[in-house]
Amino acid sequence: MLESITHLFLQQYWWIIISLLGSFLVFLLFVQGGQTLLVTLGKTKSERTMLVNSLGRKWEVTFTTLVTFGGAFFASFPLFYSTSFGGAYWVWMAILFCFVVQAIAYEYRSKPNNVFGTKTYEIFLFVNGFLGTLLLGTAVGTFFTGSEFSVNPMNIVNLSNVTVSAWENPWHGLEAVLNIQNILLGVTVFFLARVLGILYFMNTIDSEKIFSRAKKHLLYNAIPFVVSFLAFVGLLLTSEGFAYDPASGQVYMEDYKYLHNLIEMPMVAIFFLVGVVLVLWGIIKSIISISNYGIWFSGVGTVLTVFALFLLAGFNNTAFYPSTYDLQSSLTIENSSSSVYTLKTMAFVSLFVPIVFAYVFYVWRAINNKKITEEEMESDHAY
Amino acid sequence: MLENIDLSLINWSRGQFALTAMYHWFFVPLTLGLSFIIAFMETIYVTTGRAEWKRITKFWMTLFGINFAIGIATGLILEFEFGTNWSNYSWFVGDIFGAPLAIEGIMAFFLESTFIAVMFFGWNKVSKKFHLVSTWLVAFGANLSALWILVANAWMQYPAGMRFNPDTARNEMVNFWEVLFSPVAINKFLHTITSGFLLASVFVLSISAWYLLKNREVMFAKKSILIASVFGLLSSFYVVLSGDNSARIMATHQPMKFAAMEGLYTGQSGAPLVAMGVMSNEPDTTKNYLRDFTISIEIPNLLSYMAYLDPEAFVPGINDLVYGNEEQGIMPATEKIARGKIARETLSDYKKAKDDGDTEKYEELRATFQDSEFQEDYFRYFGYGFFRDPQDLVPNVPIAFYGFHLMVALGFYFILLFALALRYLFKGSLVRRRKFLWLALFTLPLPYLAGQAGWIVAEMGRQPWAIQDYLPTMAAVSRLDASAVQTTFWLFTVVFTALLIAEIRIMSKQVKLGPKQEGGN
């Protein structure tokens, strides 16, 4: 009994860590959002170089957070890793391609003899910013809408079908784009990334022209973001969800499941509401005043909101990766996790996370304490 | 043997993983070694205050940056390919294998990626000492990330610190320290990172030699060669020593791989080491022992000594491992296959008893799984239960043999190269030794070749296993259409190759441009 409590505690602890990493990842997607605005906000080569360089100092943190998010998911919920990545093959592969072309684009963009030309690398950045955010959002959308897969760990002894997790349609993840709720989340993440990218530029670049252009485009991007976000939340809270009985592990459909989760977990509801208010306040403050601190309000708000959404997906006896093909194959934090020993070991490792946050923040301040200027682009290491 | 097996899917999945891993290893060793070389150079700059060292540091840092990005891009793909292409594997051992990957992200990647921003953009924003510390942290972060992924790889070669859980039908970690400090893990880590140090040292030496051949940047080149040759010489000695240790560990834990890379078909006491040899296509049936060589140069007793530190020790060959050797107490593969089947059937019965609610049988079988004798005598052969033909347990011998011998020969060559570079440098004749400078320049591809050969030996030599003795590669694969994997394989080939071409062109241009006069880059 004690062991099962301990295991459940660790499963919940690790879902919180995953949720935190996921929420920071969404915040850090401001890099991707910014990449889709290079032409819109940068009218000259020099302006575009400033925009690229302001993002170029942060892209590796986003990239690393994505890698760590994947690694932490693998270690704590390996059945999700094997089921989703091995099943929704095309979606994840498309996301990976988007990130591969990003990784080299910054370093190669302005280097002489770069074979494909500056324009090509800027297109790579755009593709990463556009498809990367859209597809990540759409893929995470399936946490609430489900996918068609089956899971049977005992297949490992079945010589005629040894596959533990099998995708049960030939589309291997592409079908996620046919669900309006998934698409709405994808579009929301895309426009949120753009909003955050704009707020980040306003905070870090010393250029009045870019600042005023950014301010104008903030409104253009905030409107579709708010509309798609509200539509997504509306659908989420009124739809049926994937619940499970903790005693038997049986998964069943429950009307208004995610609304119930919000009501039954008041702390999560507070995170969600405070998060949404902060995101909106960061946007509004930046539109109505000359403040350049909107990124901090909207950034913290994004982390809180996404954190709450992850908790809605996995807590309160909810299947976080549901199967619409076979309900009982749905993944919950209880049936897809690592063993007690591994989660405990990893819990010790997770104590490093605050240290990581501390030095990332410290270095961020050290590098961003002065705004980026045109002169700097000519004198030092510039992308 | 597995039924309904799609060999095409397995081959394309292996091909895709190998492609990604080989491209990844094209860039990573330079990152591992060059990060330390830059840290040495910057330390000299900060302690002496001499601007020329800042100039040297910044030049090599520019090349480091060009190489770094593509290394992490291919690394991202590798991490996720465990899930996308090897989903069965991810579940079967994710409880153990996932942990090092997560730790790599939390403890190493963030260190590396955070302080690299200071390294490149912090020259005028932070103090000299903070900048220097950041450069060292990048070097430690890069090598720390290598530790965790190599721990994960070593675990696949030598599974330790785990136990099978019949309820979840997977292996679970029971001792983290056994996973981290397994002899295979420690040795693999040290061997691999020092091979990266060696590669980076050759890189610096070769490019500096080019400057000397062109009579450009002479002082810059000589100082760079000094650092690279000292670091390279020490590293290459350690690469050879750790390689020797690696072979000894392998002889115990992966005897089939050891026999394959030595081309040893029939075991013998006082086995000679084949220093050089050309493998024959046909087995030689006229000799007492089958050694598939048409020509070979052998060093008597050395293989026995290398494997067991005893010149007369018996070294099992491929035939001994396949057909058994009663005299030497080696179990035939057919017996292992039979025991693997019993382990599988026991698990199947356990599942049935559980589903049927047959409590008595369930408890009895549960006790069987907890019995250490069953674990040792049967379950450790679980993976063999997937095979029918013992010959399927033999890896590709010529590839393992040639890969291994190429790597070893090059390892000794690098020691000589660095020793000569230092000798000429200290005698003051390096600039005049044009033949040596040409040799140094044309050595540039060789450490890349040695590194690739090393990984080919390590990974192809352990086939057919994804996890030694527990999970064959054919049972580890995701259920996908072979055509899907084929498509992504070619897409990756095109993208990686295009990026590699771009990198080489950009780097060549930067080398031609040379270090900037004022130390800015």
Side-chain angles (χ1 to χ4, degrees), chain A residues 7 14 17 21 28 53 56-61 63-75 78-79 81-83 85-90 92-93 95-97 99-101 103-104 107-109 111-116 121 124 150 152-154 156-168 170 172 335-343 345-346 349-350 352-353 356 359-364 366-372 376 379-383, chain B residues 1-4 16 58 62 65-70 72-74 76-77 79-85 87-92 94-103 105-107 109-118 120-126 130 164 166-170 172-177 344 347-348 350-351 382 385-386 471 474-475 477-481 483-485 487-488 491-492 495-496 498-499 501-503 505-506 509-510 513 520-521:
Chain A
H7 201 178
W14 269 96
I17 297 281
L21 281 168
L28 291 165
N53 276 273
R57 290 152 199 219
K58 300 290 169 250
W59 78 267
E60 278 156 347
V61 179
F63 205 91
T64 305
T65 308
L66 174 66
V67 174
T68 308
F69 181 71
F73 235 137
F74 192 3
L79 194 53
Y81 202 81
S82 62
T83 304
F85 289 100
Y89 187 77
W90 286 117
W92 292 116
M93 277 294 169
I95 291 171
L96 291 179
F97 272 106
F99 279 86
V100 169
V101 295
I104 44 83
E107 193 62 42
Y108 292 3
R109 175 184 168 268
K111 290 276 189 300
N113 223 17
N114 66 11
V115 184
F116 307 111
Y121 294 103
F124 285 171
S150 63
N152 183 3
M154 278 298 166
I156 202 74
V157 294
N158 181 358
L159 291 190
S160 60
N161 176 21
V162 79
T163 311
V164 168
S165 307
W167 211 254
E168 299 293 353
H172 284 284
N335 70 14
S336 65
S337 82
S338 283
S339 64
V340 175
Y341 183 89
T342 296
L343 291 180
T345 307
M346 294 300 300
V349 175
S350 72
F352 280 90
V353 171
V356 171
Y359 72 67
V360 169
F361 184 72
Y362 181 76
V363 168
W364 183 304
I367 294 294
N368 282 37
N369 60 358
K370 291 179 202 161
K371 287 197 169 194
I372 289 176
E376 189 184 335
S379 65
D380 213 332
H381 185 102
Y383 289 131
Chain B
M1 185 64 118
L2 287 176
E3 297 153 28
N4 309 321
Q16 179 164 296
K58 281 191 138 185
T62 303
I66 295 164
N67 179 74
F68 176 78
I70 194 164
I72 61 170
T74 45
L76 173 83
I77 308 293
E79 182 195 8
F80 284 96
E81 276 181 1
F82 285 116
T84 54
N85 294 88
S87 67
N88 255 22
Y89 166 88
S90 297
W91 166 244
F92 194 58
D95 192 73
I96 309 136
F97 191 85
L101 288 189
I103 298 171
I106 293 169
M107 292 176 75
F109 282 156
F110 272 109
L111 199 65
E112 196 180 357
S113 64
T114 304
F115 287 98
I116 207 165
V118 182
F120 285 121
F121 303 105
W123 285 107
N124 302 317
K125 291 179 189 287
V126 298
F130 183 22
F164 186 76
D167 289 313
T168 52
R170 67 174 179 186
E172 293 180 352
M173 185 154 61
V174 291
N175 191 329
F176 176 71
W177 303 112
R344 200 184 68 232
L347 180 59
S348 203
Y350 178 80
K351 162 84 168 63
F382 181 80
F386 289 96
L471 188 70
M474 62 183 167
V477 74
S478 304
R479 197 175 81 183
L480 296 163
D481 289 334
S483 58
V485 185
T487 306
T488 49
L491 284 171
F492 279 127
V495 171
F496 291 160
L499 299 185
I501 291 167
E503 177 190 284
R505 294 284 302 273
I506 292 170
K509 184 70 182 175
Q510 290 295 322
L513 291 171
N521 244 315

Side-chain angles (χ1 to χ4, degrees), chain A residues 144-222:
Chain A
F144 301 101
T145 57
S147 308
E148 292 181 62
F149 62 85
S150 63
V151 174
N152 183 3
M154 278 298 166
N155 273 351
I156 202 74
V157 294
N158 181 358
L159 291 190
S160 60
N161 176 21
V162 79
T163 311
V164 168
S165 307
W167 211 254
E168 299 293 353
N169 70 44
W171 301 103
H172 284 284
L174 290 179
E175 74 281 359
V177 300
L178 298 177
N179 183 302
I180 184 70
Q181 197 174 325
N182 296 342
I183 289 288
L184 277 172
L185 187 58
V187 172
T188 303
V189 172
F190 170 67
F191 280 107
L192 173 65
R194 279 168 71 94
V195 164
L196 293 171
I198 290 171
L199 294 173
Y200 174 75
F201 287 141
M202 291 169 79
N203 180 259
T204 53
I205 296 176
D206 187 13
S207 161
E208 277 183 27
K209 284 181 186 167
I210 290 179
F211 189 88
S212 61
R213 255 179 244 139
K215 202 167 174 170
K216 194 170 77 176
H217 283 277
L218 180 58
L219 186 65
Y220 300 160
N221 286 281

